[in-house]
Amino acid sequence: MRALIVEDEAVAARTLLDLLRQTAPELQVEPPLGSVAACIERLSRQPLPDLMFMDVHLSDGLCFDILDAIPASIPIIFTTAYDQFALKAFDAFGIDYLLKPLRPERLALALSKWRQLTMAGTSPAPRPVDLAQAYFGPGQRCRERFLVATGQVLTSVPVGDIAYFHKDLMVRLVTREARGHVMSQSLDELMPMLDPSRFFRANRQTIVQIDAIARVHRGFKGKLELELIAGCQLEIVVSQERAAALRDWLGA
C-alpha cells in the first residue's frame, strides 16, 4: 500500500514518518510534499496513493485547494495543529482528524479505521455527517457552564470565568480567581465541549482560555511561553509545532 504525507514542516513530517514505521510498517511512504502545487502535480500521475496524511496549512495555501483542483476519493487522515477545520475536513473524505502533537495511540486508531474501510474493498465510504458526529459527538454544542463540586457544595462555573484546564495527577478547572476544581473528564474529552475561538490546547497538560493570557514571550528554539493574568501562576510552554497555530488563534 502506498501512502503520501503532505506537510510543510520538516520536523512534523519526520515525526509522522517515524510513527508510521512503528504503527504501519506495511505502508510504502513517498517523500513528503510541502505545498499545494507539488501535491497537485503528484496527484496528476499514477499510481495514486492509497492513503494520504495531510496538514491543513501548507507553504502556499490551504490543503483544501488541492481537493478543489483534483476531486479524488483517496482517504485522508488530517494531521494539524488547527481544530477549526474539522467539519470541512470530513467533507473531503477525511477518515480522521488528528491534532498535533500526534499521539501514537490516536494515529493507530485512525489507521485501524482506514484498514476497516479498505478491507476486501467492500466497505462503503463513510458519510461526512457520520464522521463528523464521531469526532464531535452527535449534536455537540459548546458548553457555556461546568458544574463543579467543592466539598458538599455544587457550583455552576460560566466558561468566561475559566482561566485554564490543567492535568497534573488529575484534571483541574482553574478559574480567573485561581480557584481549582477537580474534573471527571480528560483534556481530550473537554476539547470538543469548548469554543475553539476561546480555548486553545497549549500542550498535552493544558487548555487555556484566551482572556486569561496576559502576554506571550518568545522562548528557546521557537517555543512560546504564556504569561497569565494576575493570580494565575501556571507556566505554560507552547511547542514549536503549535506556536504558529497559537499566533493564528490569538490574531483571529
Side-chain angles (χ1 to χ4, degrees):
M1 290 292 215
R2 186 184 299 270
L4 176 64
I5 295 174
V6 184
E7 168 64 71
D8 65 333
E9 295 180 6
V11 173
R14 283 197 301 270
T15 298
L16 176 55
L17 185 57
D18 289 342
L19 288 173
L20 288 174
R21 285 172 178 157
Q22 300 170 29
T23 56
E26 76 276 16
L27 286 177
Q28 179 185 347
V29 184
E30 298 183 15
L33 302 176
S35 69
V36 171
C39 189
I40 290 175
E41 192 282 326
R42 167 62 189 89
L43 292 177
S44 68
R45 295 183 281 108
Q46 297 289 334
L48 292 175
D50 300 291
L51 175 64
M52 294 178 66
F53 297 86
M54 190 174 288
D55 191 11
V56 171
H57 281 257
L58 302 173
S59 60
D60 56 350
L62 296 180
C63 70
F64 303 110
D65 297 334
I66 300 168
L67 307 171
D68 291 340
I70 301 180
S73 58
I74 303 167
I76 301 167
I77 295 174
F78 289 88
T79 60
T80 179
Y82 303 82
D83 56 7
Q84 63 264 43
F85 296 101
L87 285 174
K88 188 170 183 179
F90 289 125
D91 277 332
F93 198 25
I95 60 175
D96 213 331
Y97 193 93
L98 309 183
L99 290 177
K100 297 176 182 176
L102 299 181
R103 293 184 290 124
E105 61 273 20
R106 278 293 288 117
L107 178 59
L109 179 59
L111 288 166
S112 177
K113 291 181 185 178
W114 169 68
R115 292 186 182 104
Q116 291 175 18
L117 290 172
T118 56
M119 189 179 302
T122 57
S123 297
R127 298 181 304 154
V129 65
D130 295 332
L131 291 163
Q133 286 183 351
Y135 181 80
F136 291 105
Q140 181 71 55
R141 294 188 305 165
C142 297
R143 293 281 290 272
E144 297 180 2
R145 315 178 72 86
F146 285 88
L147 189 66
V148 298
T150 305
Q152 299 299 313
V153 179
L154 297 177
T155 305
S156 182
V157 180
V159 293
D161 291 349
I162 299 170
Y164 58 87
F165 297 89
H166 182 72
K167 179 184 178 182
D168 192 355
L169 295 176
M170 298 172 288
V171 174
R172 293 181 183 274
L173 177 161
V174 179
T175 67
R176 295 164 64 89
E177 292 77 30
R179 296 192 181 97
H181 305 277
V182 175
M183 304 294 290
S184 60
Q185 300 96 333
S186 69
L187 294 182
D188 287 342
E189 291 169 337
L190 286 167
M191 273 305 299
M193 303 178 187
L194 301 169
D195 182 350
S197 69
R198 300 180 66 180
F199 289 87
F200 182 80
R201 183 72 178 264
N203 51 46
R204 293 184 179 180
Q205 290 78 38
T206 312
I207 301 170
V208 64
Q209 212 253 108
I210 192 166
D211 293 333
I213 300 173
R215 295 178 183 83
V216 180
H217 302 276
R218 290 191 178 94
F220 185 59
K221 290 187 176 180
K223 295 179 181 179
L224 297 176
E225 299 172 1
L226 305 186
E227 179 185 341
L228 302 185
I229 56 177
C232 298
Q233 302 300 318
L234 183 69
E235 295 182 1
I236 302 177
V237 177
V238 179
S239 69
Q240 181 183 11
E241 278 191 335
R242 291 193 60 75
L246 175 67
R247 292 191 186 97
D248 285 353
W249 178 71
L250 288 171

